[in-house]
Amino acid sequence: MIDLDNGDYGRPVTGDAAGLSFKKNERKKDMLRICIKRTTKGYFCWAGGKLYFDISGIIQPRKQTELLELLGDVADCSDHITCVVNEGDALKFTLLKNGDRPGITFRGIPNGHEFTSLLLAILNLDGKGKNFPDEAVCNRVKALKGPIHLTTYVSLTCTNCPDVVQALNAMTTLNPAITHEMVDGALYQDEVDALKIQGVPLSLQMENYFM
C-alpha cells in the first residue's frame, strides 16, 4: 500500500508535554489562519457575481471541521463568497458561480501546495486568472467535444501536483463540457489501492491514465 500522507509523526507526546504541545500547535494554527486571510484578501476584488462553496460529506468529523474552517476563512475575504453545507457520502466541495456548476470539484482539503489551486480556480471564474495557455491552445480546448470528466489524484506534499490541477481547472473554465475533480489520495486510500497508483500527480479520464 502506498501512503500518500507521508508525515513524520515520531514518538507520541504524553502528560503535561502533550498539553503544552497542543497549545503551541493551536497558536501556530491561529497565526497561519490570520496570515492566510490577510494574503487572500489582497487577491479578491470579486465583481463577477456570487460564488458558492457547495460542501458535502462527512467521512471524518475532524477533517470536515478542517475543511469548513479553511473555506470559511476564504469566504470571509469577500462578501461575494458563501459556504453552503449539504449531506453527502464523500468529503468534497464544488465551486458554484451564480448557482451554476463551472465544473471544478475538490475531493479533499486544498491546503498545503493545493491552496494556490483553490485561489486560482476562484480568480479564473472571475476572469482574473493568470494561468491560461496561449490563444492557440485555448482554442483547441474550446473545440473539444464532451462531456469530458477528468480526475487528478494528488498528495498535499507534492510540489508538482498543483501545476496539473491548475491546468485542468483552467480547461473547465474554457470549455463547459469539461469537468475536473482533484482527489487527495491520503483521504481516499482505497481508491489509490484499487487503481494501483504508484505516484502522483496522476490524472485520468474514465480510468484511462494520461499523466
Side-chain angles (χ1 to χ4, degrees):
M1 179 179 72
I2 180 172
D3 184 4
L4 297 182
D5 189 5
N6 58 353
D8 181 11
Y9 298 100
R11 294 184 300 172
V13 181
T14 58
D16 293 339
L20 181 60
S21 176
F22 176 78
K23 291 178 181 178
K24 287 182 178 179
N25 288 336
E26 286 299 302
R27 284 198 297 270
K28 289 180 180 178
K29 183 178 179 181
D30 290 340
M31 290 176 64
L32 179 60
R33 290 180 65 185
I34 291 172
C35 290
I36 287 174
K37 292 177 75 170
R38 286 177 178 172
T39 302
T40 303
K41 282 183 178 180
Y43 286 106
F44 293 158
C45 296
W46 187 264
K50 192 73 174 178
L51 178 72
Y52 297 89
F53 294 138
D54 186 14
I55 310 165
S56 66
I58 303 175
I59 58 172
Q60 299 177 29
R62 182 176 62 84
K63 289 295 184 181
Q64 187 194 36
T65 299
E66 185 179 346
L67 177 62
L68 292 176
E69 287 180 350
L70 175 68
L71 297 183
D73 285 345
V74 174
D76 286 344
C77 296
S78 172
D79 294 335
H80 297 273
I81 303 176
T82 303
C83 293
V84 179
V85 183
N86 300 295
E87 293 185 1
D89 58 0
L91 185 70
K92 66 180 182 179
F93 69 96
T94 300
L95 300 183
L96 306 181
K97 183 179 179 182
N98 298 326
D100 297 326
R101 293 180 179 269
I104 298 174
T105 298
F106 290 86
R107 193 144 55 94
I109 304 170
N111 50 23
H113 294 294
E114 290 300 340
F115 185 66
T116 303
S117 299
L118 172 60
L119 296 185
L120 276 174
I122 295 171
L123 293 173
N124 283 344
L125 290 179
D126 195 31
K128 297 183 176 65
K130 303 295 185 182
N131 65 324
F132 288 107
D134 60 46
E135 184 177 359
V137 175
C138 287
N139 289 336
R140 291 176 63 185
V141 172
K142 292 175 182 178
L144 293 173
K145 305 298 182 182
I148 301 171
H149 178 63
L150 308 174
T151 303
T152 302
Y153 287 85
V154 306
S155 166
L156 299 183
T157 60
C158 168
T159 57
N160 295 322
C161 293
D163 290 339
V164 175
V165 171
Q166 292 162 23
L168 298 184
N169 282 347
M171 289 176 63
T172 72
T173 307
L174 294 169
N175 188 332
I178 301 174
T179 63
H180 178 236
E181 180 179 62
M182 183 218 79
V183 182
D184 180 359
L187 292 181
Y188 296 93
Q189 188 70 54
D190 55 338
E191 295 183 25
V192 171
D193 295 340
L195 293 168
K196 296 181 173 59
I197 297 174
Q198 298 298 317
V200 292
L202 182 136
S203 297
L204 53 86
Q205 178 191 4
M206 300 296 291
E207 297 190 2
N208 293 317
Y209 304 147
F210 66 91
M211 286 187 184

